[in-house]
Amino acid sequence: MTIIRKAAVIGSGVMGSGIAAHLANVGIPVLLLDIVPSQLLAQESAAGLTLDHPKVRNRFADQAIDKLKKTNPAPLYSEDFAARITAGNLEDDVSKLADVDWIIEVIVENLQAKQQLISRIEKVWKRGTIVSSNTSGISIHAMVESASDEFKRHFLGTHFFNPPRYMKLVEVIPNEATDPAIVAFMKDFCEKKLGKGVVQAKDTPNFIGNRIGTYGLLVTLREMIAGGYSVEEVDAVTGPAMGRPKSATFRTLDLVGLDTFVHVANNVFDLVTDPEEKDIFRSPELLKSMVEKGWIGEKQGQGFYKKVTSDAGKEIQSLNIATMEYAVSRKISSASLEAAKQAKGTVGKLKALLGAKDRYSDLAWNILKPVLLYSAEKLDEIADSIIEIDHALKWGFNWELGPFETWDAIGLKRSVERMESEGSTVPAWVKAWIDSGHDSFYENRGGQHFYYLKNEFKGIETRPEVISLQSLKQQNKVIRSNSGASLIDIGDGVACLEFHSPNNAIGADILTMIQQSADEVRSNYRGLVVANEGKNFCVGANVMLLLMEAQDGEWDEVDGIIRLFQNSMMKLKSLDKPVVAAPHKMTLGGGVEACMPADQTIFSAETYYGLVEVGVGLIPAGGGCKELALRASQAVRDPDVDLQPWINAIFETVAMAKVSTSGHDTKRLGYMRALDRVVVNPDHRIYEAKQAVLRLEASGYTPPVQEKIRVVGENGKAVMQIAAYTMRQGGYISEHDQLIANKLAHVLAGGNVPAGTMVTEQYMLDLEREAFLSLCGEIKTQQRMQYMLSKGKALRN
């Protein structure tokens, strides 16, 4: 039975160290190896070190590990996880490769160098150890041509996308002799242990993601040059309007590095034989010129864009490819782009963009058409099905829709007719599929999904670990629903409360559904999961509604909203069935408060969790302050032990609006409880929450009993307020910040009572509500709320 208990990564560059970090993230000890330096650094000489000293010999790996702790975005879920990585070098420590279960090669993209390294690995290789290459496109078979048959059976490609922590895609590429059992194991391991989306690719140049993605970028460059479009125009079209990331084309190229992109494109150019395909992968002179100038993107400070700092402040300039000079970037607008912006969903945006018939609509079509045709042409060559291609582009390039999903979205039959009318050659299998009466590559039959496979529809395999709320709703599993939330039957007697308001902001509709869900589950279900499939779990309460009521002086309405929020959370907390919350991505303010009543929280690894109300001039008032004070009181039950340090830590976290950098990081901020845990694969989050509900129910669940809270009182409040005063005097916070901090201190301390007083949860909720209402009446708070709504960031007034 194959088990990966320990791994080794060879190559400590950005990619190698990033892979090592992600292995460490999931609890796997890693040996990180690199070459031995040939020269001493000045500081090494000054310290009296020689080339033989271990600190010098391990320098490259040591430096990489140290850099992991400082890199932003962070490659590690927690800085502490760096301790799971051990530095070494390829001369002194190569024998240690016999002690690991998986060896990953991540050195320079050069076939000969990789072959030489693999030869060294095989000499110390322990039979049964899996060996893989992280190459982005070099032949897996060619790397092991000279290796033994047994080694070949254990060798494959595992191509991570950069950065490894954040990018979902891993391409698994067997060589001609790889043991199918090892391929199956690695696919399962990468999905379940590393949390990745896995596609199996064929051993062809650049595999799937980089083959199609690079083609698309090169087509875009050629269309820009041919059509006389500017950098800003192309990025305006090839971003969210087409279901692509905000970085669009040229910001993406700047992030990747133009030199890296040229290398990837050249790999296909050198290996394909078809003259037309070869010509497409020939790097344009524009790119070659920019690389020669060193204008390769963000790592050199300029590429297609450049950040410039002047007396007027910072500005973003873009490259004029005709003059090769930079100028201030201009905002692009048109009827087609505005129509796409107003449309709902990626399908709606694409249809609006392509249907507007202006020059930007033409640009979108002229970019999209060749990518769809190329994907269809290369299907059998690079992948076993359209699913692998669609997943590779969605997970590796952050497209909302893969090529074949896009074709369905714009109308397969209609778009093929247009392509042929323009003289394009459509692959015969696509025409045969249409001629057999089909107008899509995917089909949904009552929540059951099918896809094209070799001229027939095949059912998409469903796995128990992946619970799709969207599919369940299509199967009529909705128990209750309103405009903001739904209660869905997810099987085995468990219901799931799903938010689906705009941005999942919490308003009266969601709060009403929470109360109704508690009643429904109490009567008819074994327990409740609180989760959704939105871009973010919840970004907080409905600030727009609060601002409108505050500006109109409708204080009874504001008071009613807060009471409804508090009462809903308390009803959820007192439910006599287990409740498990499963937040993901941004979970802020009211989103955190919606998780706090749960008996257990299953965090997604990528959960950015925090009470951030001070950013809009308020304090948490949906039970957040009360819950944190309660947890502190429960942690320090001995009345002789000082509670103040715990409350001070909470005060600092909330007053500074600290947000976790991962699910694991919630522990550092004091949000994670002993029973809470983290799930790495976000697709398994709802399933794991459901299993947690069933475990709690099976263990004889009893709801938590309300208990009184020990507070630090008036003296403790003074300690926190002095800290805020000091910050104000030092110029670190504004006068309004200090006012908010004083209100927060009053609530967390339990008000003007003696230290050690035991108070009720309702008493603390009343303090929250009073402070919240008073802050809503402040003009500067209303300004902060308005600024957040219009600018999407905090105002420090």
Side-chain angles (χ1 to χ4, degrees), residues 185-431:
F185 168 79
M186 287 305 296
K187 289 169 68 175
D188 188 68
F189 175 84
C190 288
E191 178 188 342
K192 292 180 179 176
K193 186 69 174 179
L194 302 184
K196 296 300 176 184
V198 182
V199 300
Q200 183 171 330
K202 295 183 179 180
D203 190 8
T204 56
N206 285 18
F207 313 129
I208 299 174
N210 279 339
R211 184 72 169 270
I212 304 297
T214 302
Y215 177 91
L217 284 166
L218 288 167
V219 163
T220 302
L221 275 165
R222 281 167 168 70
E223 190 61 33
M224 175 182 76
I225 294 166
Y229 293 95
S230 69
V231 166
E232 301 101 311
E233 287 177 315
V234 172
D235 274 359
V237 171
T238 59
M242 286 182 68
R244 309 282 175 82
K246 288 181 180 179
S247 56
T249 297
F250 295 112
R251 291 187 193 281
T252 297
L253 278 172
D254 279 358
L255 286 167
V256 169
L258 273 64
D259 53 339
T260 301
F261 177 76
V262 167
H263 174 82
V264 172
N266 285 345
N267 190 57
V268 182
F269 175 82
D270 292 338
L271 294 172
V272 298
T273 56
D274 179 71
E276 289 187 16
E277 185 176 11
K278 204 172 186 70
D279 187 57
I280 283 290
F281 282 93
R282 189 188 310 276
S283 294
E285 290 302 318
L286 170 65
L287 282 186
K288 292 179 182 177
S289 172
M290 291 178 71
V291 171
E292 287 171 4
K293 292 174 182 289
W295 298 0
I296 58 174
E298 283 208 353
K299 54 190 173 185
Q300 290 298 325
Q302 67 185 104
F304 284 100
Y305 291 95
K306 180 169 69 170
K307 291 180 182 178
V308 177
T309 303
S310 65
D311 293 340
K314 293 181 180 179
E315 65 181 23
I316 303 294
Q317 297 184 348
S318 59
L319 181 67
N320 182 322
I321 64 168
T323 65
M324 296 301 283
E325 295 178 348
Y326 290 91
V328 177
S329 295
R330 60 191 180 92
K331 188 174 177 62
I332 305 299
S333 62
S334 75
S336 60
L337 291 171
E338 188 57 34
K341 187 176 180 180
Q342 297 301 321
K344 290 186 176 181
T346 302
V347 174
K349 291 180 185 299
L350 264 175
K351 287 182 176 178
L353 177 63
L354 294 173
K357 304 301 181 186
D358 61 15
R359 68 189 301 264
Y360 297 127
S361 180
D362 290 342
L363 174 62
W365 172 251
N366 291 337
I367 290 170
L368 197 58
K369 177 176 68 171
V371 171
L372 301 184
L373 292 171
Y374 187 71
S375 299
E377 288 168 10
K378 295 302 167 185
L379 172 58
D380 289 336
E381 178 185 334
I382 66 177
D384 287 328
S385 78
I386 64 172
I387 289 181
E388 272 83 12
I389 292 177
D390 279 347
H391 281 168
L393 274 299
K394 289 194 293 181
W395 296 341
F397 287 79
N398 291 323
W399 291 10
E400 291 290 332
L401 300 173
F404 296 97
E405 292 172 325
T406 298
W407 222 329
D408 280 2
I410 64 174
L412 174 58
K413 188 176 181 180
R414 183 172 60 254
S415 61
V416 165
E417 289 172 353
R418 179 177 176 183
M419 291 171 183
E420 291 189 313
S421 72
E422 294 171 353
S424 299
T425 301
V426 178
W429 73 264
V430 175
K431 294 180 68 176

Side-chain angles (χ1 to χ4, degrees), residues 168 187-196 463-467 582 602-604 677 679-691:
K168 185 172 182 176
K187 289 169 68 175
D188 188 68
F189 175 84
C190 288
E191 178 188 342
K192 292 180 179 176
K193 186 69 174 179
L194 302 184
K196 296 300 176 184
R463 296 190 300 276
E465 314 91 58
V466 180
I467 293 177
I602 305 292
F603 294 101
S604 172
R677 64 189 189 87
V679 171
V680 178
N681 192 318
D683 296 337
H684 298 177
R685 179 174 45 88
I686 298 175
Y687 169 82
E688 293 294 343
K690 174 183 168 182
Q691 297 309 305

Side-chain angles (χ1 to χ4, degrees), residues 79-116:
E79 192 177 304
D80 296 341
F81 293 172
R84 297 171 180 169
I85 308 174
T86 302
N89 67 77
L90 274 168
E91 291 182 17
D92 304 325
D93 303 302
V94 71
S95 63
K96 295 178 182 177
L97 296 176
D99 300 327
V100 305
D101 306 300
W102 181 19
I103 301 167
I104 313 166
E105 169 276 309
V106 200
I107 64 169
V108 62
E109 286 287 85
N110 176 280
L111 177 58
Q112 186 177 5
K114 291 180 184 293
Q115 288 172 330
Q116 290 172 351

Side-chain angles (χ1 to χ4, degrees), residues 360-606:
Y360 297 127
S361 180
D362 290 342
L363 174 62
W365 172 251
N366 291 337
I367 290 170
L368 197 58
K369 177 176 68 171
V371 171
L372 301 184
L373 292 171
Y374 187 71
S375 299
E377 288 168 10
K378 295 302 167 185
L379 172 58
D380 289 336
E381 178 185 334
I382 66 177
D384 287 328
S385 78
I386 64 172
I387 289 181
E388 272 83 12
I389 292 177
D390 279 347
H391 281 168
L393 274 299
K394 289 194 293 181
W395 296 341
F397 287 79
N398 291 323
W399 291 10
E400 291 290 332
L401 300 173
F404 296 97
E405 292 172 325
T406 298
W407 222 329
D408 280 2
I410 64 174
L412 174 58
K413 188 176 181 180
R414 183 172 60 254
S415 61
V416 165
E417 289 172 353
R418 179 177 176 183
M419 291 171 183
E420 291 189 313
S421 72
E422 294 171 353
S424 299
T425 301
V426 178
W429 73 264
V430 175
K431 294 180 68 176
W433 182 244
I434 294 172
D435 290 343
S436 63
H438 298 99
D439 193 24
S440 67
F441 292 115
Y442 292 91
E443 194 168 86
N444 176 13
R445 304 172 189 167
Q448 300 297 308
H449 299 278
F450 298 81
Y451 70 103
Y452 165 89
L453 183 67
K454 301 192 183 304
N455 216 35
E456 66 178 7
F457 269 128
K458 181 177 174 61
I460 295 177
E461 179 186 358
T462 58
R463 296 190 300 276
E465 314 91 58
V466 180
I467 293 177
S468 167
L469 298 181
Q470 182 179 8
S471 291
L472 289 169
K473 286 189 284 188
Q474 291 167 349
Q475 296 171 45
N476 299 317
K477 298 295 183 179
V478 176
I479 304 161
R480 292 173 174 266
S481 186
N482 65 23
S483 60
S486 295
L487 186 66
I488 302 164
D489 187 336
I490 59 174
D492 298 314
V494 180
C496 179
L497 174 63
E498 176 203 32
F499 301 165
H500 47 66
S501 64
N503 296 317
N504 286 347
I506 297 176
D509 46 6
I510 287 179
L511 296 173
T512 299
M513 184 54 62
I514 288 173
Q515 300 222 12
Q516 291 177 353
S517 297
D519 291 337
E520 183 73 38
V521 170
R522 177 176 287 112
S523 300
N524 300 310
Y525 289 85
R526 298 167 69 181
L528 178 68
V529 168
V530 182
N532 63 68
E533 295 171 334
K535 181 179 179 181
N536 298 298
F537 176 79
C538 176
V539 296
N542 188 331
V543 175
M544 174 67 80
L545 176 62
L546 286 168
L547 176 61
M548 289 171 60
E549 300 290 8
Q551 287 178 332
D552 290 343
E554 298 289 348
W555 302 117
D556 287 343
E557 292 294 328
V558 177
D559 182 73
I561 292 169
I562 302 308
R563 285 181 187 273
L564 178 61
F565 201 137
Q566 293 180 344
N567 293 340
S568 299
M569 296 307 107
M570 290 300 289
K571 188 165 186 175
L572 204 56
K573 184 175 181 177
S574 63
L575 181 62
D576 58 2
K577 302 289 179 69
V579 178
V580 175
H584 67 285
K585 292 295 181 75
M586 289 174 63
T587 305
L588 306 175
V592 172
E593 291 176 308
C595 294
M596 283 181 153
D599 300 291
Q600 185 177 357
T601 302
I602 305 292
F603 294 101
S604 172
E606 300 302 336

Side-chain angles (χ1 to χ4, degrees), residues 751-783:
N752 299 320
V753 296
T757 299
M758 304 297 290
V759 301
T760 64
E761 290 189 47
Q762 187 58 53
Y763 169 85
M764 293 293 287
L765 289 172
D766 291 342
L767 289 181
E768 282 186 1
R769 192 176 65 257
E770 290 163 6
F772 189 94
L773 281 165
S774 67
L775 286 169
C776 279
E778 297 284 340
I779 295 300
K780 288 186 176 181
T781 284
Q782 294 177 17
Q783 290 171 347

